[in-house]
Amino acid sequence: MSMSPRQFTFLPTVNARKKRKDGRTAEYGHWIRYSTFYGLLITTGLASTLLAADTFKWRVTGSFFILANRFPSSVALTVQLLAAFFGLIHVAAICRLINYALRIRLTKSSVTLDVLRTWVDMSIPRIDWDLPLRFFFPVLFVVFLSLVPAALWAGSITPFISRAVTSGTLLLPSYEDVSFIKEYPMEIGNTGPSLRNSKGFFGYSPGTQQIGNLLSSAAAASSIGKTRPVHPKMDNTQFSFKGRSYGVGAPVGLADVAISGNKQAAGYIYQEEGYLTNVTCIYNSSSQFQLSPTFNAWIYAASGNLPDSIESPEYSSYIGIDGKAIVAMGVSHSESSARRYIAITTGESYRFLNNTQCELVFTPTLFNVTVDLSNLNITVNPISTVPDFNPQRNLTRTMVRQFELLSNDLTNLYVSLLGDALNSSIAAYNMSRISASRDPFTEDEATLAGLTNSITAMADDMLVSYASAQVMVGKFFTSQSAVVYLYSLQFGQRAYIYAIFTLNLLILLAVAAEAIRTHGWRDLGRFNYLDPRDLIIAASRGGTDVAAAADALAAGDGKKIMKHVWLLSDPDEGNGALGVRLKGDEDGHVSIVLVGGDEDRATRTGICHAKAGYIRLGKHVSIPYHRSITAMTQSPRNHRIPNKFQR
């Protein structure tokens, strides 16, 4: 029992639409026809997810983030492969639309071989260097566009480091119990409770226990050329303040383990109450606080009333060979005093500081504290005033008293280390003003500005020192929530995400429009010009007309007639101008026939046609095929090739 060959190159005619007894059909099945377009479901879902992730700021953390950072090369390779795959889906959908449209057109109209080649190149897509220029550049443009989807996908799915927001808690100092905050006697071993561990030294007498850090702050308070000077935090946490600390930020690195212990934490922001310290320094020529010798040759007394002195004048003793190197600071000792003033009296070596007076005003304020864990930076910004969290003012009163202890400890027989630190701040201010502005300023103005900066910096640092002692030594703290920023992965940049989403939407619209226009590609037959099997079989059914017409274009020397200029290959050989069309038989089998053959003879004239050894040159002229080449070669002016083949 013989079986018919399963040849599927059919035209979608009415008769061929019916399924034959041998199982052949002219129509594609649903899956074969639409399978390529189903791939757009993948790209649509992914593009929509990327758009939603960008809109709602979705981020990836956890093990995937760690894995991506550990193997960046593998991530890059995966991104390239996925981008190529998703781009292939888009290109395949576009090429299938082109293929379907041109296959339908081919059943209804004739085309030249060059146009057919152009269709093939656009449907693959590929660059055919043998195309005429008018076809080459459109094909080149389509090939270039086929590279765009994969590039856009790469930009849309490439992960890069971003930040995700979560919450955390840390411990803030509490001042409900201030029993440890007081002025301790200066005798050795009686400076109050303290603690030393790997994170630093913490105690309640910063004026005697943090001398080195305070001197550094005083000297660098007017840093040259820095609008926001960076100075280290007074512990071993390696954090630094950018700008003023305002006396807050002590828990950073000490009581934030729940946050800083997370290796993916980039930083956090929290709010803390503290004192906004405003310092105003002036020259007080009528100051009663003065330096005078005593009965002991090396002992000098700094005594006198301050603007806020109560009960009795201030008095303290300083050592020095002749009193010239003494810098003495006086602070009211009475607990009834508001403790707002610092009076300075000096010897001859520091006379520029003599009779200076500074007023300190403490305003209870709520601060925003921003912590950068990657760079170990702390930035503090005041927000608003709040009720006083320490109405008894134990904190501020004790802190200001530390200036007197500090100045006394830093004076020796030959020099005042505190005076030198203040002098460094004044000199830095002088140089910064000269480099930043040409406005004239006096030496007194520079001295007061540098002194103000130093007193402010030391006051802030001592407030931080007391806060650290409350947390680490006294264990007086309260929990506070913080907004934590985690290192995370963000997929794609916004521009690429919107671009790929738009491209995907345009392709979907194009598919829908074509499906509506062609009624679901109802007229699409089984013949596909991209399949060499279909081309060879259909050309074989069409006979030798196309080949004979191509031979007829040859000149006498055996070379083809040049019609067009080529770009990067051989000259135009002329075959591309031959026109062909599809023809179906009673069974719907496809044949590729020459335009102007038997099927077109009644309606088309003047087209070269070869059949049964004859070539038709005109409406009433036919010559044998073996004589046609000689005739055209010898008499090219009388027997010209029809213009249809010269275009």
Side-chain angles (χ1 to χ4, degrees):
M1 181 177 180
S2 63
M3 297 183 63
S4 300
R6 294 184 63 82
Q7 170 55 258
F8 296 121
T9 54
F10 296 97
L11 287 177
T13 60
V14 176
N15 293 333
R17 284 183 180 277
K18 299 178 181 179
K19 189 173 182 180
R20 297 169 55 90
K21 294 180 180 180
D22 57 7
R24 292 179 294 173
T25 176
E27 291 185 315
Y28 272 126
H30 177 86
W31 175 251
I32 298 297
R33 182 176 299 183
Y34 297 104
S35 59
T36 302
F37 303 129
Y38 282 135
L40 294 176
L41 295 176
I42 301 176
T43 60
T44 301
L46 181 58
S48 301
T49 302
L50 290 173
L51 184 62
D54 181 75
T55 302
F56 299 106
K57 300 186 182 303
W58 296 342
R59 300 294 183 264
V60 177
T61 59
S63 58
F64 186 83
F65 171 84
I66 298 174
L67 185 65
N69 279 274
R70 184 175 298 178
F71 305 103
S73 299
S74 300
V75 172
L77 176 62
T78 303
V79 167
Q80 292 298 324
L81 293 176
L82 291 177
F85 172 71
F86 297 137
L88 179 63
I89 294 177
H90 277 163
V91 173
I94 296 173
C95 292
R96 183 55 62 94
L97 286 178
I98 296 174
N99 178 261
Y100 283 1
L102 298 180
R103 283 164 61 181
I104 294 175
R105 178 185 172 188
L106 192 60
T107 63
K108 300 178 180 178
S109 61
S110 61
V111 296
T112 65
L113 296 184
D114 277 339
V115 172
L116 184 59
R117 281 201 300 162
T118 303
W119 288 359
V120 172
D121 294 337
M122 286 184 176
S123 301
I124 293 179
R126 69 179 182 188
I127 296 179
D128 191 344
W129 303 103
D130 293 333
L131 282 175
L133 292 182
R134 67 183 186 276
F135 298 133
F136 174 80
F137 287 111
V139 170
L140 180 64
F141 179 72
V142 172
V143 172
F144 174 77
L145 288 183
S146 67
L147 305 176
V148 173
L152 292 180
W153 276 114
S156 301
I157 63 177
T158 299
F160 62 92
I161 299 297
S162 182
R163 290 188 178 185
V165 180
T166 184
S167 60
T169 58
L170 71 160
L171 303 178
L172 299 187
S174 172
Y175 297 97
E176 293 183 359
D177 188 340
V178 292
S179 58
F180 289 167
I181 301 177
K182 59 184 179 180
E183 184 180 354
Y184 291 91
M186 292 189 298
E187 289 83 0
I188 296 176
N190 192 18
T191 56
S194 61
L195 171 68
R196 186 183 297 275
N197 57 24
S198 60
K199 294 185 178 181
F201 178 80
F202 311 96
Y204 285 92
S205 298
T208 59
Q209 296 172 331
Q210 300 283 359
I211 292 177
N213 293 323
L214 294 176
L215 277 180
S216 178
S217 296
S222 302
S223 300
I224 302 173
K226 293 183 179 180
T227 57
R228 295 177 65 89
V230 178
H231 61 283
K233 192 166 176 276
M234 293 198 307
D235 49 35
N236 294 337
T237 59
Q238 309 302 316
F239 279 91
S240 297
F241 288 100
K242 294 182 66 176
R244 289 186 59 181
S245 67
Y246 296 100
V248 298
V252 177
L254 301 177
D256 61 348
V257 179
I259 299 175
S260 59
N262 187 345
K263 299 301 182 181
Q264 290 185 229
Y268 60 94
I269 298 176
Y270 72 96
Q271 294 183 340
E272 182 178 355
E273 293 182 353
Y275 286 113
L276 176 59
T277 306
N278 289 317
V279 179
T280 305
C281 296
I282 62 171
Y283 277 104
N284 184 7
S285 58
S286 61
S287 175
Q288 299 180 19
F289 188 70
Q290 298 294 328
L291 191 65
S292 60
T294 65
F295 294 106
N296 191 322
W298 287 3
I299 303 297
Y300 290 82
S303 59
N305 287 310
L306 274 62
D308 61 341
S309 293
I310 300 176
E311 299 173 355
S312 61
E314 313 307 322
Y315 183 91
S316 56
S317 300
Y318 291 81
I319 62 172
I321 294 178
D322 51 11
K324 292 181 179 181
I326 295 176
V327 174
M329 289 186 174
V331 180
S332 177
H333 66 279
S334 174
E335 293 186 0
S336 301
S337 172
R339 297 293 194 283
R340 294 185 177 179
Y341 289 92
I342 299 175
I344 301 176
T345 182
T346 69
E348 184 64 22
S349 299
Y350 301 96
R351 61 181 180 274
F352 55 90
L353 293 172
N354 193 39
N355 291 331
T356 54
Q357 181 178 288
C358 298
E359 180 183 10
L360 288 77
V361 178
F362 302 96
T363 305
T365 305
L366 182 65
F367 297 92
N368 256 350
V369 182
T370 303
V371 182
D372 185 349
L373 293 175
S374 58
N375 296 314
L376 300 178
N377 286 331
I378 307 170
T379 304
V380 182
N381 294 299
I383 302 175
S384 60
T385 59
V386 295
D388 198 341
F389 53 87
N390 179 219
Q392 300 82 12
R393 288 298 178 101
N394 296 62
L395 177 59
T396 57
R397 181 169 57 248
T398 306
M399 185 273 291
V400 176
R401 281 292 296 174
Q402 301 302 304
F403 282 97
E404 182 173 359
L405 302 178
L406 187 66
S407 64
N408 204 299
D409 290 345
L410 293 175
T411 298
N412 57 41
L413 293 175
Y414 304 101
V415 70
S416 170
L417 298 179
L418 178 60
D420 288 348
L422 297 177
N423 192 28
S424 297
S425 177
I426 295 169
Y429 181 83
N430 265 312
M431 287 185 285
S432 64
R433 280 293 302 269
I434 292 174
S435 60
S437 175
R438 296 183 179 181
D439 296 337
F441 59 96
T442 65
E443 189 64 28
D444 288 349
E445 290 175 343
T447 298
L448 294 176
L451 177 61
T452 300
N453 292 338
S454 294
I455 297 296
T456 302
M458 287 189 289
D460 287 347
D461 282 349
M462 283 191 283
L463 288 174
V464 173
S465 180
Y466 277 112
S468 300
Q470 284 288 93
V471 173
M472 301 298 294
V473 182
K475 304 298 181 182
F476 304 124
F477 46 74
T478 180
S479 62
Q480 172 70 12
S481 62
V483 176
V484 182
Y485 295 93
L486 300 177
Y487 285 118
S488 61
L489 290 181
Q490 177 180 350
F491 287 92
Q493 298 183 11
R494 175 169 297 181
Y496 293 106
I497 292 175
Y498 279 85
I500 200 64
F501 182 83
T502 303
L503 176 62
N504 188 81
L505 181 61
L506 292 176
I507 295 175
L508 288 176
L509 293 176
V511 171
E514 276 294 286
I516 294 173
R517 184 183 69 85
T518 60
H519 302 285
W521 293 281
R522 181 180 58 186
D523 296 333
L524 183 67
R526 297 300 297 264
F527 174 79
N528 186 358
Y529 58 83
L530 294 179
D531 191 336
R533 299 172 301 174
D534 290 357
L535 281 176
I536 292 173
I537 294 172
S540 175
R541 286 200 186 102
T544 61
D545 290 3
V546 179
D551 291 339
L553 295 176
D557 57 358
K559 295 181 179 180
K560 301 296 179 65
I561 302 172
M562 181 183 296
K563 301 293 195 308
H564 305 290
V565 178
W566 252 235
L567 180 64
L568 298 173
S569 63
D570 296 334
D572 186 356
E573 297 180 346
N575 288 344
L578 291 176
V580 296
R581 62 187 296 267
L582 295 182
K583 174 196 171 186
D585 58 16
E586 62 276 5
D587 290 328
H589 289 296
V590 172
S591 301
I592 297 179
V593 298
L594 182 70
V595 174
D598 289 341
E599 298 77 12
D600 294 338
R601 183 178 293 114
T603 57
R604 304 182 182 213
T605 59
I607 301 176
C608 180
H609 174 65
K611 186 177 182 181
Y614 288 90
I615 293 179
R616 180 173 293 278
L617 298 179
K619 187 174 183 180
H620 303 290
V621 180
S622 297
I623 61 174
Y625 172 72
H626 69 275
R627 295 177 52 193
S628 62
I629 301 301
T630 303
M632 287 187 293
T633 303
Q634 295 177 352
S635 304
R637 296 183 180 180
N638 298 329
H639 302 283
R640 298 178 62 190
I641 295 176
N643 291 334
K644 177 134 186 111
F645 300 111
Q646 297 184 18
R647 288 200 298 269

